[in-house]
Amino acid sequence: MIKKILIANRGEIAARIIRACKKQGIQTVAVYSEADQKAPYVFMADESFLLGPPRVVESYLNMEKILRIAKETNADAIHPGYGFLSENDQFEKKCTAAGIIFIGPTGDVMNKMGSKIAARAAMQEAGVPIVPGTDGVIDTAEDAVKVANEIGYPIMLKASAGGGGIGMQVVHTDDELIKAFAGNSKRAQTFFGDGAMFMEKKLDHARHIEIQILADQHGNVVHLFERECSIQRRNQKVVEEAPSTFISDQTRQKMGEAAINAVKTLGYTNAGTIEFLVDEQEQFYFLEMNTRIQVEHPVTEEITGMDIVEEQIHIANGKALTIEQGDLKIDGHAIEVRIYAEDPVTFFPSPGHITTFTKPIGERIRNEVAVTENYDVTPFYDPMIGKLIVKGSTRDEAIKQLIEALQQYKIEGIKTNIPMLLKVIDSDRFKAGDTTTAFVEEHYLPTV
């Protein structure tokens, strides 16, 4: 039985995990870099330990030090959150070898799904539709041009080991592809230690819709419906909602069944997400699998009443799921927006000292934040400083609630993307549910 968990992460997700642990009477150990020593989550945990300097390779990616702290504090388990080591198969194997439970899937499954090329092959085997593209690694720009002409432009050039939009670029011509290939491969090598590239046909007017799953160690799998994540900037999500306004009940059922089938085929356990691109005819295609908790998990929790972090811990404890698919129902509509310390026009990060920080409050308002007033946002990590989640009995009600909540948000001393979020959420196109992955480029950027 897990009695103490080390959280191998930072910011709002570390705070979120600590709250879930406290609810279950589980002791917590926080780790932090020198840049995060005054972060709120550090003081929420029962114990906190310095990892090292701000650079992630010397702190949040330092597997040996994290494991050493876990052993010294007698932690039974490690929760990796998202990002950093959350999808690192070697870290899971090191945890297991050290007798520490890794709260997530096995390293072998992570390894397979961590490579987008291997993941495509696995989904094909499971009978899940995939976007037309390359079956293996593309070695040179010349080979990429040849394949692109067979697939047909526009195409998405992608890093096999990529995430968060890194190493990804839409290209429309041979010249664009040649210029983009080397740069994206190099960037992927820098960020992920793997510069392997592949390509997929870009689906125009597509929606990014994902299915949340839970799978225990006894063969039981359920899906917690879908999240609509099409509002993105730089291929990274900024607005997520559940359920989707676009797909029918029939498509929802088909996507859920496809996700469950894929998970069972993989032998996957714990929480995970199958991401799909959905075209105008509601045909869906596998995009990728995230073998961890997602940033946007709160909207699913709001419409299902489930605590996904709590379920992760139960599954890691070897417990069977206490719910079946038929028990789950969609209740209302939830929307999440990511609050970034960034310029709302250029999307460039905006680190600095927060002089004023006032969160919106209300019955159906949920805040997941990583900062406080008089906090210094550093340039070392992702610029997301919080998430705002609202719930309404209908989507219209949720939108109205979200606009009011964003207007109440007060952050001074740094730039944030709140003006951008207000413009998007208050637009006629968003209110109509017309939210494809091209929304920001087509609707927001040209009018700035």
Side-chain angles (χ1 to χ4, degrees):
M1 184 67 67
I2 296 173
K3 294 180 179 178
K4 183 183 283 191
I5 294 176
L6 182 146
I7 297 99
N9 216 296
R10 62 178 297 278
E12 63 86 18
I13 189 59
R16 167 74 182 89
I17 296 165
I18 291 168
R19 285 197 300 275
C21 289
K22 286 183 184 295
K23 220 165 88 176
Q24 298 179 67
I26 296 172
Q27 294 284 298
T28 54
V29 180
V31 290
Y32 60 94
S33 73
E34 290 172 357
D36 279 336
Q37 56 188 322
K38 294 182 180 179
Y41 80 92
V42 174
F43 304 97
M44 290 173 62
D46 296 296
E47 301 172 74
S48 299
F49 293 88
L50 176 66
L51 277 175
R55 292 179 64 236
V56 293
V57 293
E58 298 175 275
S59 53
Y60 299 107
L61 295 182
N62 189 335
M63 296 187 210
E64 301 306 327
K65 186 154 190 185
I66 289 170
L67 285 167
R68 187 164 69 248
I69 293 170
K71 294 291 280 186
E72 289 172 355
T73 58
N74 295 313
D76 308 296
I78 289 178
H79 196 308
Y82 54 72
F84 297 132
L85 295 170
S86 63
E87 295 179 282
N88 188 304
D89 62 300
Q90 293 304 309
F91 184 57
E92 185 276 336
K93 289 174 181 176
K94 285 178 182 287
C95 288
T96 301
I100 296 169
I101 296 169
F102 178 86
I103 300 178
T106 64
D108 290 341
V109 173
M110 271 197 282
N111 181 50
K112 182 179 285 188
M113 301 315 289
S115 162
K116 290 184 172 60
I117 294 170
R120 279 171 59 88
M123 290 301 114
Q124 265 187 309
E125 188 181 327
V128 179
I130 62 171
V131 179
T134 52
D135 294 326
V137 173
I138 304 170
D139 295 316
T140 66
E142 290 72 24
D143 290 340
V145 167
K146 183 179 178 182
V147 175
N149 280 280
E150 292 171 1
I151 297 172
Y153 289 104
I155 61 106
M156 290 290 292
L157 178 66
K158 292 184 174 184
S160 178
I166 296 168
M168 184 187 301
Q169 187 172 336
V170 180
V171 292
H172 300 84
T173 66
D174 291 353
D175 287 343
E176 277 185 31
L177 181 53
I178 290 168
K179 289 176 184 175
F181 190 88
N184 280 279
S185 179
K186 185 176 180 181
R187 195 157 182 246
Q189 181 67 44
T190 300
F191 277 86
F192 310 113
D194 183 355
M197 305 298 292
F198 74 107
M199 293 190 303
E200 288 178 342
K201 174 75 176 172
K202 183 179 184 299
L203 300 179
D204 289 325
H205 307 295
R207 291 168 183 260
H208 187 145
I209 298 177
E210 60 192 27
I211 302 288
Q212 173 74 58
I213 62 91
L214 291 173
D216 66 23
Q217 298 169 22
H218 308 279
N220 303 306
V221 185
V222 296
H223 72 80
L224 306 185
F225 309 110
E226 81 282 358
R227 294 186 288 256
E228 166 81 60
C229 306
S230 300
I231 306 290
Q232 304 176 5
R233 57 97 175 98
R234 296 202 305 266
N235 297 307
Q236 194 171 49
K237 305 161 191 171
V238 286
V239 181
E240 301 103 350
E241 57 184 313
S244 169
T245 62
F246 177 66
I247 64 172
S248 63
D249 289 340
Q250 184 180 21
T251 301
R252 176 176 293 116
Q253 183 176 341
K254 285 181 180 178
M255 291 178 74
E257 288 171 354
I260 287 174
N261 188 44
V263 164
K264 287 184 174 180
T265 300
L266 289 166
Y268 186 94
T269 56
N270 215 270
T273 303
I274 309 282
E275 302 197 346
F276 295 97
L277 286 178
V278 184
D279 68 17
E280 292 175 291
Q281 287 73 47
E282 292 190 52
Q283 298 298 311
F284 57 90
Y285 303 90
F286 172 76
L287 179 62
E288 64 181 2
M289 183 176 189
N290 288 290
T291 56
R292 52 172 168 77
I293 196 160
Q294 294 275 93
V295 176
E296 58 272 21
H297 75 274
V299 291
T300 297
E301 293 182 328
E302 292 299 320
I303 67 161
T304 61
M306 300 288 292
D307 185 320
I308 296 173
V309 177
E310 197 171 317
E311 292 299 323
Q312 285 190 289
I313 297 168
H314 290 329
I315 292 168
N317 257 324
K319 295 180 180 178
L321 292 175
T322 58
I323 52 165
E324 296 180 359
Q325 195 63 53
D327 300 327
L328 291 158
K329 300 288 186 290
I330 295 174
D331 174 29
H333 195 96
I335 308 175
E336 171 184 295
V337 292
R338 303 188 189 189
I339 309 295
Y340 284 101
E342 69 180 19
D343 187 291
V345 178
T346 65
F347 305 140
F348 291 158
S350 175
H353 183 73
I354 297 176
T355 56
T356 302
F357 186 79
T358 305
K359 298 174 295 190
I361 55 172
E363 187 180 342
R364 289 189 159 189
I365 293 173
R366 173 174 169 180
N367 289 285
E368 302 280 354
V369 297
V371 300
T372 58
E373 198 161 276
N374 294 317
Y375 182 82
D376 291 314
V377 178
T378 73
F380 301 109
Y381 313 113
D382 183 274
M384 190 179 78
I385 57 174
K387 304 180 309 201
L388 170 63
I389 305 100
V390 300
K391 182 184 178 184
S393 55
T394 65
R395 185 172 186 265
D396 287 346
E397 187 180 297
I399 290 172
K400 183 181 178 184
Q401 177 99 310
L402 181 55
I403 291 170
E404 291 174 357
L406 282 168
Q407 288 170 339
Q408 289 175 32
Y409 229 122
K410 192 173 184 182
I411 305 175
E412 294 177 353
I414 60 170
K415 293 180 181 179
T416 75
N417 65 329
I418 290 176
M420 178 261 191
L421 293 170
L422 273 167
K423 193 164 187 178
V424 168
I425 302 299
D426 201 22
S427 70
D428 291 340
R429 187 171 163 186
F430 181 85
K431 289 176 179 176
D434 184 10
T435 54
T436 70
T437 53
F439 184 98
V440 172
E441 287 77 10
E442 292 177 356
H443 179 78
Y444 176 72
L445 289 179
T447 59
V448 172

